[in-house]
Amino acid sequence: SAPSKIHVGDVGPKFEREMTSNVASIGDVAVSPVISQTVTTKATVTNLAVSLTTSGKPVRLQLIPGPTGGVGTPGHLKLSCTSSDYYHTGKIYLYRDGSEIAVFDFGSQTTTSLGGEVIYVSPAVIDYLDNTTSGVYTYTVSAEAYVNNVLDISNVKLVAYEL
């Protein structure tokens, strides 16, 4: 059967690129498998990784929801506070070849210690442009929840492509 296609490019005309694997050549889109994982302390998100060969143009990295009907539909980042605490925060880290290139914080801070709060965030808020030279790069993701919080990453995949 024909490979899946993805439309990319927010500026100017849209164009189609191949989206078939977590390893991609110049001009193609690398996409990880759909994953679901729960973290409390900083941990690598298993299988949320892609490798991309680039020509030196900026690389766009995005977390996107998996297909409808996938595990944990709809795709989301869910932060749950498991006890009374003022801070309800999670972090998503992006890495290129093992080096941290971006950190995304999300959550809330309250003036009273309530406990039991739940915050849902679309994976689409994780969107980053990586300026690199030409080469082959592996991009990975780690996640972390603040003390007394749990971060559920559900029905999400990592996409990378050169602009």
Side-chain angles (χ1 to χ4, degrees), residues 31-160:
V31 59
S32 74
V34 174
I35 63 90
S36 293
Q37 184 173 330
T38 300
V39 299
T40 53
T41 59
K42 189 174 182 180
T44 299
V45 181
T46 306
N47 293 326
L48 205 54
V50 295
S51 290
L52 183 66
T53 302
T54 69
S55 64
K57 297 176 186 173
V59 172
R60 186 169 190 184
L61 300 164
Q62 298 173 291
L63 290 187
I64 62 173
T68 302
V71 177
T73 299
H76 62 264
L77 308 175
K78 176 181 140 188
L79 185 66
S80 303
C81 185
T82 58
S83 69
S84 297
D85 202 334
Y86 296 99
Y87 300 101
H88 317 291
T89 58
K91 293 183 180 185
I92 298 292
Y93 301 84
L94 298 179
Y95 297 88
R96 179 189 349 100
D97 292 339
S99 295
E100 184 181 295
I101 57 172
V103 180
F104 295 84
D105 292 312
F106 60 95
S108 69
Q109 180 177 352
T110 61
T111 56
T112 59
S113 179
L114 302 173
E117 291 81 14
V118 176
I119 299 167
Y120 284 90
V121 177
S122 169
V125 301
I126 309 302
D127 193 337
Y128 182 74
L129 289 180
D130 184 28
N131 292 306
T132 76
T133 59
S134 62
V136 179
Y137 299 102
T138 298
Y139 292 97
T140 56
V141 177
S142 288
E144 178 180 27
Y146 183 75
V147 175
N148 296 323
N149 289 268
V150 174
L151 177 56
D152 291 312
I153 303 157
S154 185
N155 192 28
V156 171
K157 54 187 166 180
L158 174 65
V159 173

